[in-house]
Amino acid sequence: MKPIAIGVIVAVATLLGSCCKDKAHCASAPYYVDPFIEKYYTFTCGGNLYEYEYIMRRKSQIDSITDCTFSPPVAFPIDETDFVYIMIGKMSYFYGDTFQASLSKDTCLKKLIYDVSMIQRDTAQLQFPGTRSMFCAVENIPPDYQVEVKYKYVPLPE
């Protein structure tokens, strides 16, 4: 065989081998990320007291929106490299409504999935429907990952 043909065969074999090697490193199914920072805070922007969902990669993005506040104040990390901030608020109609959440990471699809359920725990209605809020910060998420929030309301069984 000619040296050029051997070089091409070696290059193609190396390319195919590295392709398969990369696929072996990703998880075959999404896996749960635990622990992650998850806090129940009130987050408002511009007087927004109703339903909202924000996905941001820097605190400066939050600060760039006028009149944004956390109550109580949140301590952000100094190094925000590869961080994702998820703020979610949904209308609540009952005193006992609570959030239940899980965070999963799919390394093959490069996706972070925040699955949030608001669960009705009682039938005592609030006088004024308010917003239940939560804040989630996730570390070590590469910048090319997509972030998805899945939300559902789970009423009491009838």
Side-chain angles (χ1 to χ4, degrees), residues 41-49 52-54 56 58-74 76 87 135:
Y41 290 105
T42 300
F43 174 76
T44 59
C45 267
N48 180 9
L49 299 174
Y52 56 82
E53 186 177 298
Y54 297 100
M56 299 179 184
R58 297 273 184 261
K59 184 178 181 300
S60 60
Q61 290 176 301
I62 299 167
D63 293 341
S64 69
I65 303 171
T66 58
D67 193 28
C68 292
T69 58
F70 282 95
S71 178
V74 173
F76 287 93
M87 284 77 67
F135 162 76

Side-chain angles (χ1 to χ4, degrees), residues 14-116:
T14 304
L15 180 64
L16 288 175
S18 66
C19 175
C20 296
K21 188 176 179 182
D22 288 342
K23 288 193 179 262
H25 288 299
C26 70
S28 60
Y31 63 91
Y32 290 103
V33 177
D34 193 34
F36 62 98
I37 303 164
E38 184 177 54
K39 302 286 183 185
Y40 296 89
Y41 290 105
T42 300
F43 174 76
T44 59
C45 267
N48 180 9
L49 299 174
Y50 301 103
E51 294 189 335
Y52 56 82
E53 186 177 298
Y54 297 100
I55 299 170
M56 299 179 184
R57 294 197 177 264
R58 297 273 184 261
K59 184 178 181 300
S60 60
Q61 290 176 301
I62 299 167
D63 293 341
S64 69
I65 303 171
T66 58
D67 193 28
C68 292
T69 58
F70 282 95
S71 178
V74 173
F76 287 93
I78 294 169
D79 180 10
E80 294 182 322
T81 306
D82 297 340
F83 249 78
V84 174
Y85 300 100
I86 303 169
M87 284 77 67
I88 183 168
K90 297 295 180 183
M91 292 301 290
S92 176
Y93 298 96
F94 301 96
Y95 281 103
D97 286 355
T98 59
F99 279 124
Q100 181 177 2
S102 65
L103 187 70
S104 59
K105 184 177 179 182
D106 188 324
T107 57
C108 293
L109 297 177
K110 294 186 175 185
K111 187 180 272 191
L112 183 71
I113 303 159
Y114 193 43
D115 197 351
V116 179

